[in-house]
Amino acid sequence: MAISIPLPVRRLLHPGWRLAALMLVALAMLAGCSTTPTVRSEVTSFHESPPDFSAGSFTFTRTAEQDNNLEHRSYEALVSEQLQRLGFKEASPPQPAAFKVAMEYSIQGRDVRVVEPVYTAPYYGPGWGPYFGPRWRYPGFYSPFYDPFFDPYWYGPVQMMDHSYVLYTRQLRITIARTADSRQVFNVKVVSQGTNGSLPAVMPYLVQSAFTDFPGPSGVPRRIDLEMRKD
């Protein structure tokens, strides 16, 4: 027995209309989502195997330039917070410390230029009359052998657009060495790239990445993504 499918249903079943519906749903979902900035870092740590941090008192060592730098001390506070979370205790003079901690960091920016194709508005030339004009053979609808979503006239000419931005490379290195003989027991390097050029804004996430899964596998690069908090 033949089944008659109403014309509106046949229209929805056409591949072109299904594609358009999926595109509209995807756009609606993206519009409803709020994008949270993320700091993505590549973390590589090296340590003795197995590391011995049983005597967990520490103190910071600084260069002459770092010693009188308030920004550096604020970053030390972030490191101290992470170490204390892991069970270390910051030594207070004249109390001796089992470990000495040093850190260095940098940020550099470079210009990036991106060129990409941009599709212009659809073509509405003479071939488009009432009900899409004579290009389609059925009144008010298109031929089953024609799909407007794959018609080069549907999109119009393609233009190449370019935009530029600054990409920043942020780096952090932290070392932990025994005070008695200055032998390193932990060395971690964090490298992160992004468009945020404020080192104070990004540093908390670099420090947190450095101590994620501490001490981590030795010599194995890991990627760590942290969402930035909305304060």
Side-chain angles (χ1 to χ4, degrees):
M1 180 180 65
I3 300 177
S4 177
I5 301 177
L7 180 59
V9 176
R10 292 204 304 270
R11 292 181 178 181
L12 293 176
L13 292 176
H14 188 276
W17 286 102
R18 290 202 303 271
L19 176 62
L22 290 173
M23 292 173 63
L24 291 175
V25 171
L27 289 173
M29 292 176 64
L30 289 175
C33 299
S34 58
T35 303
T36 303
T38 300
V39 178
R40 169 170 294 179
S41 303
E42 183 178 273
V43 180
T44 308
S45 60
F46 296 89
H47 53 79
E48 293 182 334
S49 183
D52 181 13
F53 298 113
S54 55
S57 61
F58 70 94
T59 188
F60 287 100
T61 61
R62 311 180 185 97
T63 65
E65 182 181 357
Q66 293 172 344
D67 194 44
N68 192 31
N69 189 320
L70 292 177
E71 179 183 6
H72 181 84
R73 295 194 177 218
S74 69
Y75 299 155
E76 282 185 353
L78 297 174
V79 175
S80 177
E81 180 181 350
Q82 290 293 323
L83 288 173
Q84 293 183 62
R85 178 183 63 83
L86 294 169
F88 290 81
K89 294 182 179 180
E90 187 166 4
S92 301
Q95 178 186 0
F99 301 103
K100 52 185 179 181
V101 181
M103 63 183 301
E104 56 186 26
Y105 43 86
S106 64
I107 183 170
Q108 293 181 336
R110 63 184 177 91
D111 294 327
V112 177
R113 180 171 176 262
V114 178
V115 180
E116 56 188 357
V118 175
Y119 294 94
T120 58
Y123 173 80
Y124 294 103
W128 296 69
Y131 299 97
F132 298 114
R135 292 171 59 92
W136 291 274
R137 299 179 182 179
Y138 295 102
F141 197 58
Y142 46 76
S143 165
F145 303 104
Y146 180 79
D147 190 345
F149 293 95
F150 297 96
D151 186 349
Y153 290 103
W154 180 267
Y155 295 104
V158 178
Q159 294 183 355
M160 302 303 294
M161 304 291 291
D162 68 274
H163 62 278
S164 301
Y165 61 94
V166 179
L167 182 66
Y168 294 93
T169 299
R170 295 91 50 137
Q171 298 191 52
L172 168 67
R173 184 183 294 275
I174 301 173
T175 59
I176 301 178
R178 290 197 295 254
T179 303
D181 56 6
S182 297
R183 181 180 177 86
Q184 283 192 10
V185 294
F186 180 74
N187 185 325
V188 61
K189 182 179 181 180
V190 182
V191 180
S192 175
Q193 289 189 328
T195 56
N196 192 329
S198 173
L199 193 57
V202 177
M203 184 60 73
Y205 306 97
L206 302 185
V207 173
Q208 183 178 343
S209 298
F211 292 101
T212 297
D213 300 327
F214 178 85
S218 183
V220 179
R222 296 171 291 143
R223 193 185 77 182
I224 297 178
D225 294 336
L226 297 176
E227 290 188 354
M228 298 186 72
R229 295 182 295 270
K230 297 180 179 180
D231 298 329

